[in-house]
Amino acid sequence: MMTVRTREKAAQRGVVLLVEDETSFARDVVAPRFTRPWEVRFADSVPSALKAVHTVEKLCLALVDLELPGAQPFEQLPGGSGFAVIVAVRKRFPDAAVYVLSGHLLPSFVNTAHRLGAGYLVKGECEANLDLLAKRMLAGAVRTEPAANDPVRRYAEAHALTPRQAEVVALAVDDMKNKEIADALGISLNTLKRHIESILIKSGASTLADIG
């Protein structure tokens, strides 16, 4: 067990955030690979993950399951709500490494993760990849993936979109429906509609589908 002093030193080196509602998987399979020299913190829902993101001082890595309780509203396709955590991490810690850790391997999920600057690991075959990721982090060889966002970023800059509006566009170009986008971002449909109206006015597009 970590002493207070050891925990403080680990936190100074940085935090690894494990966002996973399967407790045994998070603590027995994933966490042991990252206990040194980092501090490992756990979150098992969207609200607890978002709280952790906003209270951590230095985040080195976030491993995010996509199928989590706590989306608003909690009626989404499997995996939708975890994207809200990735968006929050990217906003507060743009240099942190972020990886989806999911049991679902669907092209739309992979594409959306990449557009948000996150890597993608599948749980069924993740152990060797987690070992490699830990070694690369120790060697300082893990980088974020900003290139995946380039088309959306260029579009956002060209039309003076806000960061939130750019996030809406990033999800929309992967053919996500309005409700799925709202769930992924943790916002209401009414709020999403206001963002969409502003995007369409700024861009001159008739619908979000025209943007892709």
Side-chain angles (χ1 to χ4, degrees), residues 113-126:
H114 287 171
R115 288 186 185 280
L116 295 176
Y120 205 99
L121 301 176
V122 180
K123 287 183 179 179
E125 51 192 41
C126 71

Side-chain angles (χ1 to χ4, degrees), residues 155 158-161 165 169 192-208 210-211:
Y155 188 89
H159 299 288
L161 302 185
Q165 290 165 1
V169 171
L192 175 62
K193 288 176 182 177
R194 288 195 291 272
H195 285 310
I196 293 173
E197 289 173 359
S198 182
I199 292 168
L200 298 181
I201 291 171
K202 290 179 178 180
S203 66
S206 298
T207 66
L208 283 181
D210 295 336
I211 293 175

Side-chain angles (χ1 to χ4, degrees), residues 15-82:
V15 169
V16 172
L17 177 63
L18 304 185
V19 185
E20 170 63 62
D21 61 342
E22 295 181 24
T23 304
S24 60
F25 177 76
R27 295 185 179 276
D28 299 338
V29 177
V30 184
R33 293 168 163 83
F34 299 98
T35 51
R36 294 183 182 180
W38 309 283
E39 177 188 357
V40 178
R41 296 193 186 181
F42 301 90
D44 60 3
S45 67
V46 171
S48 63
L50 295 178
K51 181 179 180 180
V53 170
H54 289 100
T55 56
V56 165
E57 292 297 325
K58 180 180 179 182
L59 185 67
C60 295
L61 170 68
L63 292 166
V64 184
D65 186 12
L66 290 182
E67 192 171 5
L68 293 166
Q72 296 180 353
F74 182 50
E75 292 180 359
Q76 82 278 3
L77 79 169
S81 62

Side-chain angles (χ1 to χ4, degrees), residues 90 94-99 117-119 133 136-137 140-146:
R90 275 281 160 261
D95 295 328
V98 185
Y99 284 81
L133 177 58
R136 291 179 62 200
M137 286 183 62
V142 175
R143 298 180 179 178
T144 57
E145 301 184 14

